[in-house]
Amino acid sequence: MVSNLELMLHLQMQAAGITGYMMEFKFHPVRRWRFDFCWVERKLVVEVEGGTWSGGRHTTGSGFRKDCEKYNYAASMGYLVFRFTSDMVKNGEAINWIEEMING
């Protein structure tokens, strides 16, 4: 399920002409893990970490641990993961990073 922040970043990427990514990409053959945005051929990933300032799942001990497991497994499979907080999406910092990654 796509969050409002993911939708906001998707719209920012569309406006910037950034294409070629898949949303909610299931990367693991057994686990139900998904990446928010993935350029599959490049093995480049963008994750939006919502709730970082409001006590969301990503900031609880259990949620943080689960994220570590997911990202460590992704790294072991050769994925490069970039993580952005809600304020980074809202203030344009995330899209600036993404443009630099994609366009060099």
Side-chain angles (χ1 to χ4, degrees):
M1 184 169 150
V2 177
S3 71
N4 288 337
L5 282 172
E6 291 165 16
L7 180 58
M8 180 184 294
L9 186 55
H10 169 67
L11 293 173
Q12 290 173 354
M13 287 193 288
Q14 282 186 325
I18 297 171
T19 61
Y21 57 89
M22 294 181 66
M23 295 179 70
E24 295 295 313
F25 176 71
K26 185 177 184 229
F27 74 95
H28 191 275
V30 177
R31 302 289 297 263
R32 293 177 16 187
W33 289 323
R34 296 180 188 279
F35 294 136
D36 296 335
F37 301 92
C38 182
W39 289 261
V40 179
E41 299 79 26
R42 293 181 173 196
K43 287 199 163 192
L44 178 65
V45 173
V46 166
E47 286 281 286
V48 177
E49 308 290 357
T52 51
W53 298 102
S54 62
R57 186 198 74 78
H58 296 288
T59 61
T60 67
S62 172
F64 186 80
R65 184 187 191 292
K66 289 176 183 175
D67 284 348
C68 286
E69 183 181 7
K70 173 183 172 179
Y71 298 142
N72 289 342
Y73 209 101
S76 76
M77 295 173 69
Y79 288 97
L80 179 60
V81 179
F82 286 85
R83 301 169 65 192
F84 299 105
T85 60
S86 55
D87 62 308
M88 294 169 87
V89 172
K90 291 175 184 175
N91 72 17
E93 190 175 345
I95 190 64
N96 290 339
W97 270 96
I98 295 166
E99 283 182 302
E100 188 167 323
M101 287 185 296
I102 297 300
N103 299 327

